[in-house]
């Protein structure tokens, strides 16, 4: 068996899946294309997410991985990515590691759709944006209302944003990545003073408490997402985490009709309710929001369906379909598969790189949006367990996960200025006094000993 830890090497098999290509390389987990074969030429492709061997002994990460699989596997809805299997595989190593088999999605994240349309001088039509929002709201409602044995599980996604909404090539929106989801009977718990999720898509109440939240934070996050892709502007994102948290806590929502004169007041009314600072003023359920988004979409003069969205996807990404299809044919053949990096498709090179807006973080100790809050604990990037595509952001068949960040250049170590003469003089004086004190102490001890 090929050693999966060798640079550039693929494992030949994970569980019962023949590995055909790597989709993405994350900090703690990789995602592969796995082929499941059966009698009479049966075959099906899946996305296989597997913990890297070096992290398989990390109990915290393993628990988070288990939680993601357990929560997503219990949810069955057209707008939620399906987890098909949770298994263990030794992959030729001494210890077993967990993997998830999921449906393999072909398409782009809403984040990439937004920015690629922008690069082509277009915007996502508002009726399509509303229809996509309605389907995601229905998926969220299914998760929120999910019950096991008659007991509601209180599932909250906690990370709704454009990069966790996937639009397939055939026009089906999907919620992906339940890695941060909150639910009953989770193995991992969020500690006090820990904020999880993408800062610019959080609800105001999340800046005050990590415990006192409910499903309405997902409604708020979906509202932020729809405001941004329809106004074509970031809502809360600022130059740093402190400023972003302050903007979220303040929750001042600009009127889109004052930014874009042709913006629909009816859509603004929907988003205004979803983005209410007081959560009791928001939609009671995501289904209520979905119903109003659908009504608005129909009011624009055409009936939007998955076929309508697929047509828009073809318009935005169609020029790259031939390359995409060739790679898929290689996956399904018996020939060696070319490196995914060589055949991935993606936004045009002149697109403003959306990765620079990536603000996904866990802030430890930040219960209030202030300088002192951030000083209370470190800000750490939480994308390390998510797949990363090549640094040039080219992409091809994407699995279920969000687009990658480009590799960041290491920060140059600060250069220390030479000490000023006065500082040298002051330091020398301090050393002199230290020597004097030490000599006196030694002399005193010697005198006391000989006196006895």
């Amino acid at each position: 068996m090929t050693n999966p830890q060798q640079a550039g090497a693929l494992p030949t098999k994970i569980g019962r899946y023949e590995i055909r290509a790597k989709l993405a390389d994350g900090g703690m987990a990789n995602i592969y294309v796995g082929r499941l074969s059966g009698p009479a030429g049966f075959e099906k492709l899946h996305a296989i997410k597997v913990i890297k061997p070096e992290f398989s002994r990390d109990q915290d990460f393993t628990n988070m991985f288990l939680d993601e699989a357990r929560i997503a596997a219990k949810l069955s809805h057209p707008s939620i990515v399906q987890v098909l299997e949770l298994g263990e595989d030794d992959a030729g190593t001494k210890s077993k590691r967990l993997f998830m088999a999921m449906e393999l999605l072909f398409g782009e994240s809403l984040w990439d759709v937004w920015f690629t349309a922008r690069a082509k001088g277009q915007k996502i039509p508002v009726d399509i944006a509303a229809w996509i929002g309605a389907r995601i709201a229905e998926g969220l409602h299914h998760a929120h209302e999910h019950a096991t044995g008659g007991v509601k599980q209180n599932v909250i996604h906690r990370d709704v944003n454009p990069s966790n909404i996937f639009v397939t090539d055939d026009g089906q929106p999907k919620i992906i990545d339940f890695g941060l989801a909150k639910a009953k009977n989770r193995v991992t718990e969020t500690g006090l003073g820990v904020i999880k999720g993408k800062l610019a898509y959080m609800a105001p109440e999340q800046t005050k408490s990590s415990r006192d939240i409910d499903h309405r934070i997902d409604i708020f996050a979906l509202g932020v997402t729809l405001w941004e892709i329809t106004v074509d502007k970031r809502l809360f994102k600022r130059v740093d985490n402190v400023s972003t948290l302050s903007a979220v806590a303040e929750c001042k929502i600009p009127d889109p009709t004052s930014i874009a004169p042709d913006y629909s007041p009816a859509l603004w009314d929907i988003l205004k309710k979803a983005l209410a600072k007081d959560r009791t003023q928001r939609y009671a359920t995501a289904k209520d929001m979905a119903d109003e988004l659908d009504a608005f979409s129909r009011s624009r003069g055409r009936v939007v369906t998955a076929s309508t969205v697929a047509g828009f996807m073809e318009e935005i990404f169609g020029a790259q379909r031939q390359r995409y299809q060739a790679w898929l044919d290689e996956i399904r053949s018996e020939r060696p598969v070319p490196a995914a990096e060589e055949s991935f498709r993606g936004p045009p090179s002149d697109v403003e790189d959306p990765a620079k807006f990536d603000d996904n973080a866990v802030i430890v100790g930040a219960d209030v949006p202030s300088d002192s809050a951030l000083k209370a604990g470190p800000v750490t990037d939480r994308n390390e367990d998510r797949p990363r595509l090549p640094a040039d952001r080219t992409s091809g068949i994407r699995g279920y996960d969000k687009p990658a960040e480009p590799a960041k250049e290491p920060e140059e170590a600060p250069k220390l200025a030479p000490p000023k003469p006065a500082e040298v003089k002051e330091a020398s004086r301090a050393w002199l006094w230290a020597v004097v004190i030490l000599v006196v102490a030694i002399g005193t001890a010697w005198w006391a000993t000989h006196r006895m």
Side-chain angles (χ1 to χ4, degrees):
M1 178 178 288
T2 303
N3 183 352
Q5 299 186 60
Q6 291 177 352
L10 288 178
T12 56
K13 202 168 185 181
I14 295 178
R16 57 197 180 116
Y17 303 91
E18 176 195 357
I19 300 305
R20 297 295 294 155
K22 179 185 285 187
L23 280 176
D25 186 353
M28 292 187 178
N30 290 327
I31 297 205
Y32 301 99
V33 178
R35 181 169 63 187
L36 186 62
S37 301
F42 170 86
E43 71 167 30
K44 189 172 181 62
L45 299 179
H46 298 280
I48 311 297
K49 181 176 182 179
V50 58
I51 299 179
K52 290 183 175 181
E54 59 267 36
F55 293 106
S56 62
R57 292 179 295 277
D58 185 321
Q59 195 61 49
D60 288 339
F61 182 72
T62 298
N63 287 342
M64 186 173 68
F65 193 89
L66 286 169
D67 282 335
E68 177 183 359
R70 288 167 178 161
I71 292 171
K74 292 176 182 177
L75 305 175
S76 180
H77 191 275
S79 295
I80 298 177
V81 66
Q82 296 298 292
V83 172
L84 308 171
E85 180 182 356
L86 173 66
E88 285 185 321
D89 182 81
D90 59 18
T93 62
K94 293 181 179 179
S95 60
K96 292 187 176 182
R97 54 184 176 154
L98 295 170
F99 72 87
M100 274 187 279
M102 299 165 289
E103 63 174 322
L104 183 63
L105 305 180
F106 305 108
E108 306 289 340
S109 73
L110 184 58
W111 189 274
D112 275 344
V113 175
W114 174 19
F115 277 88
T116 303
R118 169 188 282 187
K120 293 177 178 289
Q122 300 184 48
K123 291 177 64 175
I124 301 175
V126 291
D127 56 347
I128 287 181
W131 187 86
I132 290 173
R135 305 289 74 75
I136 296 302
E138 288 177 342
L140 289 172
H141 181 70
H142 173 80
H144 297 161
E145 296 299 315
H146 173 72
T148 300
V151 179
K152 189 173 177 180
Q153 296 300 295
N154 298 323
V155 176
I156 309 169
H157 189 282
R158 291 201 299 186
D159 203 16
V160 176
N161 62 73
S163 63
N164 279 339
I165 294 173
F166 197 91
V167 184
T168 65
D169 288 337
D170 58 5
Q172 178 62 53
K174 298 266 188 178
I175 306 167
I176 62 177
D177 199 347
F178 277 78
L180 295 182
K182 178 181 176 64
K184 277 184 180 292
N185 303 318
R186 260 185 79 100
V187 176
T188 56
E189 291 292 338
T190 300
L192 289 172
V194 176
I195 300 175
K196 285 189 174 181
K198 229 174 179 20
L199 303 183
Y201 296 89
M202 288 180 176
E205 59 266 29
Q206 287 178 275
T207 66
K208 299 176 182 178
S209 171
S210 59
R211 298 294 180 91
D212 185 25
I213 60 173
D214 61 23
H215 67 283
R216 287 171 289 190
I217 67 169
D218 287 346
I219 293 173
F220 187 93
L222 181 58
V224 175
T225 297
L226 293 176
W227 190 98
E228 290 186 338
I229 67 172
T230 55
V231 179
D232 198 26
K233 182 181 177 68
R234 297 302 301 273
L235 179 53
F236 294 127
K237 176 65 178 174
R238 300 294 188 268
V239 296
D240 55 50
N241 287 333
V242 174
S243 301
T244 298
L245 276 176
S246 295
V248 170
E250 193 175 16
C251 196
K252 286 188 176 180
I253 314 297
D255 182 345
T257 62
S258 66
I259 300 172
D262 60 344
Y263 199 92
S264 169
L267 180 57
W268 170 224
D269 286 342
I270 295 172
L271 300 186
K272 191 189 306 181
K273 186 169 184 177
L275 293 169
K277 185 174 183 179
D278 180 354
R279 63 185 177 184
T280 64
Q281 300 302 310
R282 295 176 207 154
Y283 290 100
T285 69
K287 180 63 168 62
D288 293 339
M289 183 179 180
D291 290 343
E292 293 204 9
L293 286 170
D294 273 333
F296 168 77
S297 183
R298 290 191 297 268
S299 74
R300 302 298 289 183
R302 65 173 172 174
V303 178
V304 176
T305 64
S307 296
T308 315
V309 179
F312 182 70
M313 293 290 287
E314 175 69 26
E315 180 182 351
I316 296 298
F317 299 104
Q320 302 159 32
R321 290 291 176 90
Q322 187 173 355
R323 192 180 178 193
Y324 156 87
Q325 189 61 49
W327 191 76
L328 184 57
D329 290 342
E330 293 285 348
I331 292 285
R332 287 177 169 149
S333 75
E334 296 303 322
R335 298 186 298 274
V337 182
E341 295 88 333
E342 298 174 4
S343 56
F344 274 177
R345 66 179 178 180
S349 58
D350 60 344
V351 68
E352 183 178 9
D353 187 0
K356 76 178 185 180
F357 294 112
D358 193 4
D359 54 347
N360 194 43
V362 171
I363 296 188
V364 181
D367 287 333
V368 290
S370 65
D371 288 335
S372 60
L374 286 179
K375 289 175 182 176
V379 180
T380 56
D381 183 270
R382 294 300 295 173
N383 286 331
E384 71 275 7
D385 59 324
R386 301 186 182 185
R388 302 180 187 280
L389 298 180
D392 61 1
R393 291 191 54 73
T394 53
S395 66
I397 302 178
R398 292 206 177 148
Y400 76 102
D401 224 316
K402 68 181 199 176
E405 297 176 286
K408 295 180 180 179
E409 292 295 327
E411 294 184 3
E412 184 178 1
K415 293 182 175 58
L416 298 178
K420 298 177 182 178
E423 294 174 338
V424 174
K425 184 177 180 180
E426 193 66 30
S428 300
R429 185 178 300 169
W431 275 106
L432 178 60
W433 276 110
V435 172
V436 170
I437 293 171
L438 180 60
V439 170
V440 171
I442 293 173
T444 302
W446 181 89
W447 180 81
T449 302
H450 285 73
R451 185 184 178 194
M452 294 173 61

